Amino acid sequence: MFELSTNVASPQQLRRGDFSAYDALYLGEFSCLSYPNNFCAHPEFLADAAEQVHALGKKAYLRLFAVPSNHDLPTVRKVIEAALALPFDGFEVHNLGLLQMLKEMGNTKPIHLGVFGNLYTDATARVVKDYGVTRVYPNPELSLDEAIYIRDNTPIDVLIPVHGKIPLVVAETCFIHENSGGLPGEDCKFKCAQEHWLTRASGDWSLKDTGCMTLSGADLCMLEHVEKLTAAKLNAFYVQSHGESPEYIATVGRIYRDAFTKAFAGETEGDVQPLLQELSGLAKMGLCNGYYFGDAGRRYVGRT
């Protein structure tokens, strides 16, 4: 009745993680091709990955690099060529050029438009539908009502993030590498494996930096609004887990799996405070509702 998904960057993460709560996995670290053993950049890993995910009884979606320059296209093309011959359940793209490339290469698999596709309107959703897009990740600045409007007014599904840090900015160059003495073209030391925070001197806000991508400091949390999501007949939900620990991925997945299962069965959720405390313990900068309720991303609105 619903699909709960999250992201997995590499074979090592796929082996080490507990993804039992999820129905589908988005494979690949879309913000940086240099990420170690990134599914986005290593076609030699794809056959085993698809087999492993399907053996777990889950769908396998391949993420393509979000911000390819001309010099990246040969790598991306090799990844697509390999994936087209494998039983992936779909591709995720963030770039109109890659939509055209998939079309020219004869792709018949479903395509999902990712967060950096910057989809704001139902008009854009209808345009990308012509390229084979079946699901879109609305821009995080949209309210929940606007995302539902896109779903209701286009022949296309929407992916609703329910937990995790909100992707805000992606860039071709690495902020961490440049600001730790690294030179252009120099081998990356993967300092992004450690946590990096951009914090205002007053300490009243922080953002998380992963090198080529900046995310919100606080974790989006929609646990208290699961019944609202199911009442709107939404059915595709996503946990943003980039850079998070295996414990985070397993715990968040378990909590939302249980909440959505109850909601779709018509059961009313009881006291969620213990679960919120558990989620808060995993969120270094606290919880928020993003832009879902018309706010600027940082406020948390509980169930009313």
Side-chain angles (χ1 to χ4, degrees):
M1 297 181 64
F2 68 93
E3 179 183 289
L4 183 65
S5 59
T6 192
N7 48 284
V8 185
S10 68
Q12 291 84 350
Q13 291 183 15
L14 182 58
R15 288 195 301 269
R16 296 170 184 168
D18 175 3
F19 303 103
S20 57
Y22 298 94
D23 304 291
L25 300 177
Y26 284 88
L27 303 177
E29 205 296 88
F30 60 56
S31 72
C32 178
L33 281 180
S34 297
Y35 189 88
N37 297 324
N38 188 354
F39 287 121
C40 289
H42 290 275
E44 68 273 19
F45 297 148
L46 298 184
D48 285 346
E51 181 179 359
Q52 289 177 52
V53 174
H54 287 152
L56 295 172
K58 307 180 188 306
K59 292 182 178 179
Y61 302 128
L62 179 62
R63 286 186 145 167
L64 299 179
F65 185 39
V67 285
S69 297
N70 285 330
H71 65 269
D72 300 314
L73 292 182
T75 297
V76 176
R77 181 177 287 275
K78 288 180 182 178
V79 170
I80 294 174
E81 287 174 346
L84 286 174
L86 297 169
F88 280 98
D89 296 284
F91 291 100
E92 183 191 71
V93 306
H94 303 250
N95 178 280
L96 286 175
L98 294 191
L99 281 178
Q100 181 64 29
M101 180 182 288
L102 283 166
K103 186 175 182 178
E104 292 172 353
M105 294 176 71
N107 171 59
T108 59
K109 301 178 189 293
I111 301 174
H112 300 172
L113 187 71
V115 59
F116 291 117
N118 290 323
L119 186 136
Y120 286 90
T121 67
D122 59 305
T124 306
R126 283 190 289 272
V127 170
V128 297
K129 177 70 175 177
D130 293 339
Y131 286 88
V133 173
T134 60
R135 176 187 290 175
V136 297
Y137 185 138
N139 188 279
E141 295 176 0
L142 296 186
S143 69
L144 183 59
D145 288 341
E146 289 171 313
I148 293 171
Y149 182 89
I150 291 171
R151 190 277 312 272
D152 289 345
N153 289 274
T154 63
I156 208 162
D157 197 12
V158 295
L159 181 66
I160 301 297
V162 292
H163 203 89
K165 294 171 181 61
I166 304 166
L168 301 174
V169 179
V170 66
E172 184 182 0
T173 56
C174 178
F175 178 86
I176 296 172
H177 182 66
E178 287 185 352
N179 288 274
S180 59
L183 299 175
E186 184 181 37
D187 287 344
C188 175
K189 306 300 182 184
F190 302 114
K191 295 182 179 180
C192 57
Q194 304 168 0
E195 286 196 352
H196 295 266
W197 296 88
L198 306 175
T199 304
R200 194 156 76 173
S202 60
D204 60 349
W205 65 257
S206 294
L207 300 175
K208 186 173 183 180
D209 196 277
T210 63
C212 294
M213 182 168 60
T214 302
L215 304 102
S216 64
D219 284 20
L220 169 72
C221 177
M222 291 294 285
L223 181 64
E224 291 193 83
H225 306 283
V226 162
E227 292 174 10
K228 178 180 176 69
L229 299 175
T230 56
K233 298 182 179 180
L234 297 163
N235 60 10
F237 308 107
Y238 176 67
V239 172
Q240 169 62 251
S241 61
H242 178 79
E244 304 293 355
S245 67
E247 176 195 11
Y248 181 105
I249 296 168
T251 300
V252 173
R254 169 181 55 81
I255 290 173
Y256 279 91
R257 162 63 55 187
D258 184 59
F260 278 116
T261 299
K262 289 179 180 177
F264 276 96
E267 299 178 26
T268 301
E269 185 68 50
D271 181 14
V272 298
Q273 289 307 310
L275 297 175
L276 284 174
Q277 290 178 7
E278 193 171 1
L279 292 173
S280 295
L282 296 172
K284 185 173 182 178
M285 298 298 171
L287 304 175
C288 70
N289 297 127
Y291 297 81
Y292 279 148
F293 301 122
D295 292 318
R298 295 172 55 203
R299 195 161 69 96
Y300 180 78
V301 179
R303 185 170 55 192
T304 56

